[in-house]
Amino acid sequence: MIRAFVISAMLAVPAHASAGASEAIATFNAVCFKAGQTVAQARARMEARDGAPLPYTLTFWDKSLEPAPETPARIERRCEVSFDGDHTEVAIAALRAQMATPPVFGTFIDLPDTHAPLTGTALIEGRALLRGRVAVVHVGTRDSQTFMTVDRLPADWEDG
């Protein structure tokens, strides 16, 4: 079932990405925008693949659901997928399509002071979410890999 979901999500990824990049991007879009997941649930959704090696690395935590020691204090949740090669253009196009799909993912805001562009950043922007929360989406390259990240800040993020 998960594999079918990821495959159907891949249809929204432009065809000029490698198969591994397409799967990583589609998986990010299918899983990383879903709230209310524990680490185990996110991993199960991303890693249920017939025992084949994954073409990406997952970083995930949600401090609103379970402890996440040694994580940035003002970030409540992070979901990141990184994968080999520079696929930033394809990743950005797929991310923008995902964020525009109903329900639309927040509205554009100035970048919170919790985040800044890094070397290799191709896209970084803040989004106002429901209940006073803020998200930051970030796409770029580091160590010969593309990364796609969405961080969620709590409603009181400015107090931190």
Side-chain angles (χ1 to χ4, degrees):
M1 169 108 172
I2 297 299
R3 189 140 172 93
F5 181 66
V6 171
I7 290 171
S8 67
M10 287 176 68
L11 299 176
V13 178
H16 57 281
S18 69
S22 293
E23 183 175 346
I25 293 166
T27 301
F28 175 86
N29 283 342
V31 176
C32 286
F33 290 97
K34 295 188 182 314
Q37 301 178 92
T38 64
V39 172
Q41 289 167 327
R43 288 197 183 284
R45 287 183 177 111
M46 292 185 133
E47 296 179 357
R49 296 190 51 244
D50 306 330
L54 294 172
Y56 52 83
T57 301
L58 168 67
T59 302
F60 181 90
W61 38 266
D62 187 337
K63 292 189 271 194
S64 70
L65 298 176
E66 54 195 359
E70 300 181 35
T71 58
R74 294 170 62 198
I75 299 173
E76 180 176 65
R77 177 182 188 270
R78 173 169 290 163
C79 189
E80 177 178 295
V81 171
S82 58
F83 47 97
D84 288 338
D86 181 354
H87 302 281
T88 55
E89 289 182 28
V90 176
I92 291 169
L95 176 67
R96 290 224 181 271
Q98 176 66 32
M99 290 191 308
T101 301
V104 174
F105 186 70
T107 56
F108 180 81
I109 61 169
D110 290 338
L111 193 62
D113 66 2
T114 55
H115 290 74
L118 306 171
T119 301
T121 292
L123 167 79
I124 187 169
E125 65 183 45
R127 293 284 179 147
L129 304 176
L130 298 174
R131 295 176 290 208
R133 288 190 164 119
V134 168
V136 176
V137 292
H138 196 173
V139 178
T141 56
R142 67 173 171 251
D143 301 325
S144 300
Q145 292 194 319
T146 298
F147 68 88
M148 299 176 73
T149 305
V150 60
D151 286 343
R152 185 181 73 207
L153 285 60
D156 63 351
W157 68 272
E158 291 179 297
D159 299 336

